[in-house]
Amino acid sequence: MKQTSIQTIAKRFFLGNLLAAALFLSANAATVSTTNVASDKVEVKYTGVDKYNQLSFNVKYSNPTGNTFNLTVLDENGESIFKGFYGDKQFDKTFKLPKSEVSKLTFLIEDGKESFKQRFEVNIKTQVIEDVVVSKS
């Protein structure tokens, strides 16, 4: 019976994980490189909850032509919470909304001159986890 040392097993395990990571990263790089240029113009990010218990979202829009565009924020019923017209070439705005009042948001950016329309839907689900451990020493 052949004996295998722990070092040999550890080396094989490490090399196997290294190969798997390389394959995973190359697959992700191929996916990222095929993105649509139009979708790269708009970015909506959830930036967290502030000290006033408000949800914070950052919206960025690259508008190199400076055309007027419309930004609308809709609630779960499709009703407008916010609507604004802007002409910034590099738009960057933070939206803050009360956490208890919304469960779904839609950010809609429309540029009428270029027929550009981008829609982002945000589903908000809040969970509270209390992990309490009592131990006697």
Side-chain angles (χ1 to χ4, degrees):
M1 184 166 179
K2 186 177 179 181
Q3 290 183 346
T4 307
S5 71
I6 293 178
Q7 283 184 330
T8 306
I9 294 171
K11 285 179 185 177
R12 288 182 183 166
F13 181 73
F14 176 74
L15 291 174
N17 284 340
L18 188 63
L19 178 62
L23 290 173
F24 177 73
L25 291 174
S26 66
N28 280 344
T31 304
V32 171
S33 65
T34 60
T35 58
N36 187 355
V37 175
S39 66
D40 292 342
K41 292 174 71 170
V42 183
E43 180 180 294
V44 176
K45 276 188 181 177
Y46 170 69
T47 56
V49 178
D50 66 4
K51 63 183 177 181
Y52 302 110
N53 209 24
Q54 293 181 331
L55 300 170
S56 181
F57 296 93
N58 183 259
V59 179
K60 291 183 180 180
Y61 177 47
S62 177
N63 183 21
T65 59
N67 291 340
T68 302
F69 64 92
N70 177 22
L71 172 65
T72 308
V73 181
L74 307 170
D75 66 2
E76 58 269 3
N77 299 321
E79 294 180 20
S80 179
I81 297 174
F82 175 84
K83 188 170 190 172
F85 294 91
Y86 300 95
D88 303 356
K89 289 188 176 188
Q90 291 298 323
F91 178 79
D92 188 355
K93 184 170 178 72
T94 301
F95 292 87
K96 294 188 178 192
L97 302 160
K99 189 165 102 171
S100 61
E101 294 182 13
V102 292
S103 62
K104 182 180 177 184
L105 292 173
T106 303
F107 290 87
L108 181 63
I109 293 183
E110 298 174 291
D111 184 352
K113 292 183 181 177
E114 292 183 12
S115 299
F116 175 78
K117 185 175 184 178
Q118 191 77 30
R119 181 183 197 100
F120 291 87
E121 292 188 4
V122 180
N123 290 311
I124 301 162
K125 182 178 178 184
T126 304
Q127 295 178 342
V128 177
I129 299 174
E130 293 182 22
D131 189 10
V132 179
V133 177
V134 177
S135 62
K136 183 179 178 182
S137 39

